[in-house]
């Protein structure tokens, strides 16, 4: 009886005083939508305005990321992305590796990230070459800390064309949803 009471006491104290461990590493999936915004040069401030809004989207990006989070600060990902630049009519399909580092790891994270990869030639419409990007943003978690929304800015540079002499730089606003 004494042994049973001792075991019961240890079990109750272990369950009462133990802390719940949060999963901080593991695989994740992330989907992202982004756009590059430009100023409408034909815009006028009149009520008879047929020139459209002041700010127009000029490029659209859809990104899928499969990655691994090492700890609460760092993560790596394999990205497959589709880019369409409407003003120039260019299509890109980058495949790149990305690295993210949380500068502030708290209830919501503030992060910087970078990526480097290839522009895949998937046909006549797609340009081949190289690409790199750097960015910064904020990660906002849901109540359970299992999923999150990411909002921020990315600067990307694409080199393509004959001997990769053509260059295209853009700054995009991104909105992402991450499943962990």
């Amino acid at each position: 009886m004494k042994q049973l009471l001792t075991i019961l006491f240890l079990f109750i104290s272990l369950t009462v005083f133990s802390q719940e461990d949060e999963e901080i590493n593991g695989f994740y999936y992330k989907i992202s939508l982004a756009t590059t915004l430009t100023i409408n040069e034909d815009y006028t401030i009149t009520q008879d305005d047929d020139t459209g809004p002041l700010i127009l989207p000029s490029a659209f990006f859809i990104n899928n990321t499969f990655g691994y989070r090492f700890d609460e600060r760092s993560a790596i990902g394999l990205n497959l992305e589709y880019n369409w630049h409407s003003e120039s009519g260019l299509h890109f399909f980058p495949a790149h590796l990305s690295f993210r580092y949380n500068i502030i790891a708290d209830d919501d994270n503030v992060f910087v990230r970078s990526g480097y990869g290839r522009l895949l030639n998937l046909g006549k419409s797609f340009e081949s070459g190289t690409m790199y990007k750097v960015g910064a943003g904020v990660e906002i978690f849901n109540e359970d800390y299992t999923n999150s929304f990411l909002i921020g800015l990315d600067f990307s540079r694409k080199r393509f064309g004959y001997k990769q002499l053509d260059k295209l730089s853009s700054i995009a606003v991104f909105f992402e949803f991450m499943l962990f």
Side-chain angles (χ1 to χ4, degrees):
M1 183 70 171
K2 215 179 206 185
Q3 290 175 347
L4 182 62
L5 287 173
T6 306
I7 292 172
L8 186 62
F9 176 73
L10 287 175
F11 178 73
I12 290 172
S13 63
L14 181 64
T15 57
V16 169
F17 294 111
S18 67
Q19 295 179 352
E20 184 179 323
D21 291 333
E22 280 186 30
E23 183 86 20
I24 60 169
N25 60 351
F27 292 98
Y28 67 88
Y29 170 75
K30 182 173 61 173
I31 186 157
S32 172
L33 297 173
T35 186
T36 298
L37 303 173
T38 58
I39 301 290
N40 183 357
E41 295 176 2
D42 299 328
Y43 180 76
T44 57
I45 306 175
T46 62
Q47 292 185 0
D48 303 351
D49 187 15
D50 286 347
T51 58
L54 175 63
I55 298 176
L56 297 171
S58 66
F60 299 96
F61 310 96
I62 299 171
N63 184 5
N64 287 289
T65 304
F66 300 97
Y68 186 79
R69 189 164 124 183
F70 295 105
D71 55 23
E72 65 182 13
R73 292 206 181 263
S74 58
I76 191 167
L78 174 62
N79 300 270
L80 297 173
E81 188 172 320
Y82 171 71
N83 299 345
W84 175 55
H85 293 267
S86 60
E87 287 185 355
S88 56
L90 294 171
H91 298 270
F92 299 100
F93 195 85
H96 60 94
L97 286 175
S98 63
F99 178 75
R100 187 179 98 185
Y101 183 78
N102 293 332
I103 297 170
I104 298 173
D106 200 10
D107 289 342
D108 296 326
N109 296 330
V110 176
F111 62 88
V112 293
R113 65 184 186 182
S114 64
Y116 182 79
R118 300 283 306 160
L119 303 173
L120 303 177
N121 185 2
L122 299 179
K124 284 192 219 179
S125 299
F126 291 88
E127 300 288 336
S128 63
T130 59
M131 181 205 71
Y132 72 86
K133 66 170 45 178
V134 293
V138 176
E139 180 179 22
I140 302 164
F141 288 97
N142 66 353
E143 295 168 357
D144 300 333
Y145 289 94
T146 54
N147 302 327
S148 61
F149 291 97
L150 293 85
I151 302 167
L153 295 173
D154 273 337
F155 170 79
S156 65
R157 177 81 179 238
K158 298 171 183 79
R159 297 183 67 151
F160 58 96
Y162 180 71
K163 293 188 178 183
Q164 295 189 15
L165 295 177
D166 296 326
K167 299 173 187 128
L168 181 64
S169 299
S170 63
I171 295 176
V173 177
F174 65 83
F175 303 99
E176 300 177 345
F177 179 67
M178 187 165 98
L179 301 167
F180 184 69

